[in-house]
Amino acid sequence: MILGLETSCDDTCAAVVTDGGEIRSNVIASQGLLHARYGGVVPEIASRHHLELVNAVTADALERAGLRLADVSTVAVTRGPGLIGALLVGVSSAKALAASRRLPLVPVDHLHGHVTASMLGPHPIEPPFLCLVASGGHTFLARVDEPGAYTVLGQTLDDAAGEAFDKGARLLGLGYPGGPALDRLAREGDPEAHSFPRSAPGELDFSFSGLKTSLLYRLRDEPQASRADLAASYQRAIVAALTDRVRKALEREGLERLAIGGGVAANSELRSAMGELEAAVWVPPVELCTDNAAMIAGAARFLDPLPYPDYLALDASARLVG
Ligand code: KG4
Ligand code: ZN
């Protein structure tokens, strides 16, 4: 039984996963509404709330799994990348929990968690596979040959795809986080009504910042334009950029299986576009796409644990680890 903790951004998460990848519990306390009034995540507020919530969320994850801490064999925690103050709450809690019972601890790279989320549950994807992770903080393509590691094939050079959705939504007056609202509005619009730039920086890299500027100019120059048409066309441009790189990567790498993850994997147009690719596609349920601790405990299965007391000096890392 692996107890996982994840506090890299604004969700306080704890989960219990078995060695075989069965999810026994997956608790997510979202702070989303707290940050909405500021139009984005406020790091200091996030850290303070993690501190208030982490014990209750951990207790809840154990209770839902029908376990006590005594039944846990390993503790896993997100070490980075993320907001440093937020990460520190999870890392310190995990160290204390593990040390109290002399358990081993596994520090996990948050992105490795996203990449291997589709390896959880009754029908896990098997390497080799391609993974597209598109969230509010990250957008990249990874190749997975063995579950303990991944190779980044391409990534965004500026904004993440979720950030592009959120910034577009804000320009369209849809609030924060605007991805889901933009997705809904886009269903009522014509995706061919406007053409937005689909820049291609590197073969497998992404760039979304020009798109947002282009929407800003379009709103200024055509104030009467239908918001639904703008939303649909803007979403089409993001989805087309993601789909295009995924298709190229599948071909170039000779891969036949694809997993998608990150909050943007909840997007309805992206889901249907991925379904049309010539690959077997794994799209985990939304609670495994967005930040969660089950993916952290799941990734820990493939990594070497640090024995007690080797991890007592372990530090969180705001940047990518390893
Ligand atoms: O993975 P996530 O929950 O948090 C991190 O950023 O790590 O991703 C959140 C992002 C936000 O930018 C949100 O707007 C976007 O995912 N998102 C969506 C949809 N649902 C969430 N974007 C487009 N369409 C959606 N349906
Ligand atoms: Zn994430």
Side-chain angles (χ1 to χ4, degrees):
M1 293 291 170
I2 306 171
L3 170 66
L5 297 188
E6 146 66 42
T7 62
S8 66
C9 190
D10 63 339
D11 294 321
T12 316
C13 317
V16 176
V17 168
T18 68
D19 242 358
E22 184 199 338
I23 301 171
R24 297 287 295 264
S25 65
N26 187 19
V27 179
I28 302 168
S30 173
Q31 304 178 11
L33 289 175
L34 270 171
H35 298 275
R37 58 195 282 214
Y38 304 103
V41 177
V42 183
E44 184 59 26
I45 293 178
S47 317
R48 283 165 193 243
H49 281 278
H50 283 310
L51 202 51
E52 283 171 11
L53 291 168
V54 72
N55 285 345
V57 168
T58 306
D60 196 23
L62 286 170
E63 193 182 319
R64 283 169 195 255
L67 302 175
R68 291 169 310 136
L69 188 57
D71 304 312
V72 170
S73 50
T74 306
V75 178
V77 65
T78 304
R79 184 184 178 195
L83 303 171
I84 191 67
L87 287 163
L88 273 169
V89 177
V91 168
S92 307
S93 306
K95 283 201 281 190
L97 284 166
S100 72
R101 302 205 67 89
R102 309 286 193 261
L103 296 174
L105 183 95
V106 188
V108 178
D109 160 16
H110 179 80
L111 303 180
H112 186 211
H114 276 303
V115 165
T116 52
S118 291
M119 300 188 75
L120 287 163
H123 306 291
I125 191 171
E126 283 184 19
F129 65 88
L130 179 74
C131 184
L132 168 70
V133 176
S135 73
H138 309 277
T139 295
F140 65 97
L141 276 168
R143 181 186 169 108
V144 180
D145 288 297
E146 43 105 6
Y150 64 97
T151 311
V152 174
L153 303 175
Q155 60 196 310
T156 182
L157 304 178
D158 40 56
D159 292 348
E163 215 177 335
F165 270 108
D166 293 338
K167 288 178 176 171
R170 189 191 298 207
L171 290 172
L172 291 166
L174 297 174
Y176 168 88
L182 199 150
D183 188 354
R184 280 192 297 277
L185 181 61
R187 281 175 217 157
E188 294 159 25
D190 174 7
E192 309 287 340
H194 300 270
S195 74
F196 283 113
R198 296 179 189 178
S199 66
E203 198 192 359
L204 297 179
D205 289 328
F206 305 93
S207 166
F208 294 108
S209 65
L211 185 58
K212 165 196 70 196
T213 314
S214 166
L215 176 62
L216 180 70
Y217 290 156
R218 200 64 57 96
L219 280 162
R220 187 194 62 190
D221 299 340
E222 298 176 43
Q224 305 309 327
S226 141
R227 302 270 143 157
D229 285 352
L230 284 166
S233 307
Y234 186 80
Q235 172 169 284
R236 173 64 54 90
I238 299 174
V239 170
L242 295 171
T243 316
D244 171 67
R245 307 303 191 280
V246 166
R247 190 180 288 113
K248 276 190 192 138
L250 286 168
E251 268 172 31
R252 194 187 86 179
E253 301 287 313
L255 293 168
E256 290 165 354
R257 286 186 290 276
L258 167 72
I260 63 176
V264 178
N267 183 265
S268 54
E269 187 172 344
L270 182 69
R271 284 179 172 243
S272 55
M274 292 294 154
E276 284 163 21
L277 292 169
E278 283 181 25
V281 185
W282 273 254
V283 188
V286 173
E287 66 274 16
L288 292 179
C289 287
T290 55
D291 287 350
N292 68 88
M295 70 179 189
I296 299 304
R301 295 179 294 151
F302 311 120
L303 302 168
D304 291 331
L306 298 171
Y308 175 84
D310 294 8
Y311 50 81
L312 290 179
L314 177 78
D315 221 343
S317 169
R319 290 170 188 279
L320 195 59
V321 272

